[in-house]
Amino acid sequence: MMLAAALEIIDCDSVERLSMRRLGDRLGRDPAALYRHADNKAALLDGVTEFVLGQLTVDAADPDWRHQLRMVARDFRRLAMAHPHVVPLLVTHPLATPLGLRPPGTLRPLEHILDLLTRADFSGIDALRIYRALFGFLYGHALDEVQEIVDRPEEATDLLRLGLHHLPIGEFPLLRGLASQLAAYDGGTELERGLDALLAGLDATLTPVAPRQQFPG
């Protein structure tokens, strides 16, 4: 309940506006009592990150690893679009903690994807490379998509709606000229295009190791 309430505050406002006092007010509890569950705000943010990533599903038993990675990517985007204020937290907050000291829930997607890929006969190091390539792409894509913010939706042209008219035309002619394309950005379509390129590249550069031969006893 506490983490769900903290996530609601972040969704409505921002990570910066989350505090023990606001959380206590929302829950109808003394903020001091919340410190029994989280030592400080950093620990609370760890919990929120774990709570969100706990909703990311990975079927390690899927025999088609490419299909499963695509499902994971779509699921991650769904979570990112449902909680756009949490995206920077998902990307940057874990970096402040050594891998082995992070909340277990934030590492389970990694463990499950490694399980998926090693079942597909990738070596451990190649499975890790695939994970890093996938989530490097997903983090960048999610950050790009949540930053596609309209400045003034009531304006008549895409240049004005996106606030690109603030940019000097002499310095940013190409960016200003792409106003219509920027306004027409479709995150779902761009995700699929990026996954097509990423998975094709992984197929071309990484191959599963040969399964071990089974000899009769």
Side-chain angles (χ1 to χ4, degrees):
M1 179 183 292
M2 186 174 87
L3 295 177
L7 181 59
E8 288 176 2
I9 293 172
I10 294 173
D11 284 342
C12 292
D13 295 315
S14 67
V15 172
E16 291 71 24
R17 296 294 303 277
L18 175 65
S19 67
M20 289 299 197
R21 181 176 296 279
R22 288 197 68 189
L23 184 57
D25 289 344
R26 181 173 288 261
L27 293 171
R29 298 177 61 185
D30 182 349
L34 302 180
Y35 287 98
R36 290 199 293 267
H37 305 281
D39 291 339
N40 48 44
K41 183 175 178 179
L44 182 60
L45 295 180
D46 277 342
V48 170
T49 303
E50 191 172 26
F51 181 73
V52 173
L53 287 178
Q55 301 171 55
L56 185 65
T57 57
V58 182
D59 180 5
D62 189 338
D64 186 343
W65 64 271
R66 299 169 192 81
H67 171 265
Q68 186 56 211
L69 291 187
R70 196 177 287 273
M71 294 300 100
V72 170
R74 291 172 180 169
D75 202 23
F76 183 87
R77 178 178 178 267
R78 175 188 61 79
L79 289 171
M81 294 305 99
H83 309 289
H85 290 161
V86 178
V87 170
L89 183 65
L90 296 179
V91 174
T92 63
H93 188 65
L95 299 178
T97 307
L99 192 65
L101 299 179
R102 295 175 193 173
T106 65
L107 297 175
R108 287 196 181 97
L110 167 57
E111 181 68 19
H112 293 163
I113 288 174
L114 293 178
D115 188 12
L116 168 76
L117 294 170
T118 53
R119 285 171 184 253
D121 293 319
F122 284 98
S123 67
I125 186 60
D126 280 349
L128 186 58
R129 286 170 179 150
I130 293 171
Y131 170 86
R132 285 171 172 164
L134 176 66
F135 273 81
F137 164 69
L138 290 178
Y139 289 154
H141 175 87
L143 285 170
D144 278 346
E145 188 165 1
V146 299
Q147 289 172 9
E148 293 288 336
I149 298 172
V150 174
D151 181 38
R152 302 185 66 179
E154 74 279 4
E155 291 288 357
T157 69
D158 293 326
L159 186 74
L160 296 176
R161 275 195 289 271
L162 295 177
L164 292 175
H165 60 290
H166 296 297
L167 301 178
I169 191 169
E171 293 182 50
F172 300 96
L174 298 176
L175 187 56
R176 287 172 55 114
L178 288 170
S180 295
Q181 288 75 16
L182 288 167
Y185 179 82
D186 182 335
T189 298
E190 293 302 319
L191 178 77
E192 298 299 329
R193 287 176 179 167
L195 288 171
D196 288 344
L198 176 64
L199 293 175
L202 292 172
D203 267 333
T205 58
L206 297 175
T207 56
V209 296
R212 286 176 292 184
Q213 285 187 305
Q214 299 294 319
F215 296 97

